[in-house]
């Protein structure tokens, strides 16, 4: 079968290795080395005992009093955070689409959190919310009683603190993806919709959102996977008072020095991420046809 | 159905230095088909977008059906429009595209289905109703855009170069269909094009635009036959009108070295002017065919048979700058480059223009 490379005769017998191998090979190799191998090693570690296969690590993980709270917190954070982030990012992107004065400047300001490391972001919010932080100083200045926002016995305000910090930190990613997606949609479609009687909400619902679906899909999968990995912000703000799955993984690995349980926890995060990605892809694809 | 009144519309785009439309006033009667014709960049689309509410004028007023709509949002104007880019929604089937406007206006589903079926039948789209636009040809997408516009029962139908993206053959056949559809609908229509053939064949009236202004408004034959200035004459017609320098002295008109009595309305005139004549109004004969001396001698430079006629490019008069005349001869006429022919400029085929202002010198 003469392929497109057939003209590149070398004098010897024509090479039987199709060009696709050369094109895909390096990245497959890299993926195998950097992702495949550690993943397999991790899976092995989660189930490896002195006498071969064991569920002891998994049992120990589930028995830990922090495990179920961390699962619940992680899921709760995702369920509340992601819709808020998408609503905010969409609103901001639509504002930018109206070409306001200094629109370019707003975009860069809004995108700044993207460049801030998550630990730094967590420390910034810690400075704001800690007992003698900026927020309480302002409250005191106004003659109000300061509130212990990050107290361990105040789970609601702990949750809200992590939520706000994550909202500030990670909405920019959704914004950038949505803005890029919107730029690919010609104004003609909105204009046609307007001429044919669609008001602003109808244009958003019947024209912009459907055309934006691919971008939203990417942003949703990316953001959800990243939200499962929320760690540094919560760690800086709450320590262990608001346990999350990745925080627990870290605790088992470093403080409790148990690599096997840590690996089992990492596996839980992986499974949850894969499960939601598959669900997203399924539901969004079905809606398309 | 409604009449449109545009009064003194001025629009300068932000950052623009020139006015995109410069004090345009135009009335379109109820049910009338008006074509805006002009070269690219003359402000046709801008005018149409102001009618649609997609752009607001800096000054002036638009009324539709007696209501002032100058600053009203597009969705509140009850219009429909065919966009130059079609703007057929890629995420909706042909059926949903055609029914879009009706769905937005909350028309009952049964009625929408009926209207969509009617429009699809009219535009031969019935087999494609459940396809997505990506699986249609350009011509079919064009039809979807038209179908979407005509189901609306709108007061006003706007079309921005709807045929410009079609190939020549399709354009010609669809032009006739479009004319029939719009005639049957009887909707007030404003149609934008840069194609003079389209303008002449479609419009009840044609408004010729240039650099943001309407330079002539009239019924197509009048605009073609009596261009208000040399620009209109040069823009309309294929080939465009011929222009020759001429002079009037003592009641004698001299064109291309050929003198004759000037027409009555130029008797008082004296000095330079420009004579315009359409290619098909020039009589032509071989140099030996007639005994008369009542013609202008010209040399044939190019011969282009077009099937229905032979288009000759001739030069008249010797000297440094011979005038070039395009002549449309009968298809049976035979000539070769280098031949000399005799041209006959019939007095009633000649139009006269001021040499300075380029405006018509009408009786
Ligand atoms: N969005 C815009 N911003 C700035 N200038 C524009 C814009 N649209 C059109 N123009 C300018 O306005 C003039 C008229 O344009 P347009 O109405 O599109 O012309 P036409 O449709 O006759 O080709 C042109 O000089 C064009 O460059
Ligand atoms: Mg245009």
């Amino acid at each position: 079968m003469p392929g497109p490379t057939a003209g590149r005769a070398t004098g010897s017998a024509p090479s039987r290795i199709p060009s696709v191998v050369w094109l895909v090979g390096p990245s497959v190799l890299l993926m195998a080395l950097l992702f495949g191998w550690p993943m397999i090693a991790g899976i092995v570690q989660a189930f490896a005992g002195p006498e071969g296969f064991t569920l002891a690590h998994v049992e120990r993980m589930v028995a830990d009093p922090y495990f179920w709270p961390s699962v619940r917190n992680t899921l709760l954070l995702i369920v509340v955070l992601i819709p808020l982030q998408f609503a905010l990012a969409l609103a901001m992107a639509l504002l930018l689409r109206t070409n306001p004065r200094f629109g370019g400047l707003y975009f860069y300001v809004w995108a700044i959190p993207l460049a801030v490391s998550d630990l730094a972001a967590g420390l910034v919010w810690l400075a704001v919310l800690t007992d003698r932080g900026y927020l309480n100083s302002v409250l005191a200045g106004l003659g109000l009683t300061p509130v212990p926002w990050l107290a361990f016995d105040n789970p609601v305000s702990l949750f809200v603190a992590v939520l706000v910090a994550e909202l500030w930190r990670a909405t920019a990613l959704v914004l950038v993806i949505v803005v890029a997606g919107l730029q690919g949609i010609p104004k003609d479609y909105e204009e046609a919709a307007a001429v044919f009687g669609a008001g602003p909400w109808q244009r958003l619902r019947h024209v912009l959102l459907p055309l934006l679906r691919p971008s939203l899909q990417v942003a949703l999968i990316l953001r959800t996977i990243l939200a499962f990995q929320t760690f540094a912000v919560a760690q800086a703000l709450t320590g262990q008072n608001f346990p999350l799955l990745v925080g627990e993984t870290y605790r088992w690995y470093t403080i409790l020095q148990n690599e096997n349980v840590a690996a089992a926890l990492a596996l839980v995060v992986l499974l949850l991420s894969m499960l939601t990605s598959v669900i997203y892809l399924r539901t969004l694809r079905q809606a398309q046809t | 159905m409604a009449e449109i009144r545009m009064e003194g519309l001025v629009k300068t785009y932000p950052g623009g230095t020139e006015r995109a439309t410069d004090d345009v006033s135009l009335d379109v009667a109820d049910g009338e088909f008006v074509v805006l014709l002009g070269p690219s960049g003359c402000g046709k689309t801008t005018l149409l977008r102001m009618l649609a509410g997609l752009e607001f004028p800096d000054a002036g007023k638009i009324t539709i059906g007696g209501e002032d709509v100058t600053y009203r949002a597009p969705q509140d104007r009850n219009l429909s429009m065919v966009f130059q880019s079609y703007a057929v929604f890629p995420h909706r089937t042909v059926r949903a595209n055609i029914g879009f406007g009706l769905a937005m206006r909350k028309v009952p589903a049964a009625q929408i289905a009926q209207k969509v079926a009617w429009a699809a039948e009219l535009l031969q789209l019935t087999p494609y109703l459940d396809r997505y636009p990506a699986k249609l040809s350009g011509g079919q997408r064009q039809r979807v855009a038209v179908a979407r516009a005509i189901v609306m029962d709108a007061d006003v139908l706007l079309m921005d170069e709807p045929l410009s993206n079609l190939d020549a053959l399709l354009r010609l056949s669809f032009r006739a269909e479009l004319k029939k559809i719009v005639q049957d609908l009887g909707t007030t229509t404003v149609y934008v094009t840069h194609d003079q053939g389209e303008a002449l064949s479609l419009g009840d009236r044609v408004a010729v635009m240039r650099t943001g202004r309407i330079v002539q408004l009239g019924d197509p034959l009048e605009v073609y036959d009596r261009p208000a200035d040399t620009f209109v004459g040069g823009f309309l017609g294929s080939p465009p009108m011929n222009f020759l320098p001429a002079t009037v002295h003592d009641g004698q008109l001299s064109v291309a070295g050929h003198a004759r009595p000037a027409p009555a309305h130029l008797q008082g005139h004296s000095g330079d002017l420009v004579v315009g004549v359409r290619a098909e109004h020039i009589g032509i004969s071989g140099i030996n065919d007639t005994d008369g001396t009542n013609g202008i001698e010209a040399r044939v430079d190019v011969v282009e048979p077009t099937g229905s006629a032979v288009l000759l490019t001739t030069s008249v008069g010797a000297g440094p700058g011979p005038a070039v005349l395009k002549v449309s001869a009968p298809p049976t006429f035979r000539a070769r480059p280098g031949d000399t022919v005799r041209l006959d400029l019939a007095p009633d085929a000649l139009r006269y223009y001021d040499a300075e202002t380029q405006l018509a010198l009408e009786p």
Side-chain angles (χ1 to χ4, degrees), chain B residues 40-41 43-46 84 160-161 192:
Chain B
S40 187
K44 309 176 298 284
T45 297
T46 306
Q84 183 171 5
D160 191 355
E161 313 217 9
V192 161

Side-chain angles (χ1 to χ4, degrees), chain B residues 5-11 19-26 46-48 50-51 56-63 70-71 212:
Chain B
R5 251 195 127 86
M6 295 170 244
E7 287 169 45
L9 291 177
V10 176
K11 172 79 189 176
R19 289 178 166 187
T21 65
D22 188 3
D23 195 16
V24 173
S25 298
L26 174 64
T46 306
L47 197 58
L48 204 68
M50 287 194 285
L51 276 178
F56 292 141
D58 304 331
K61 190 172 155 190
I62 302 170
T63 57
T70 316
Y71 299 106

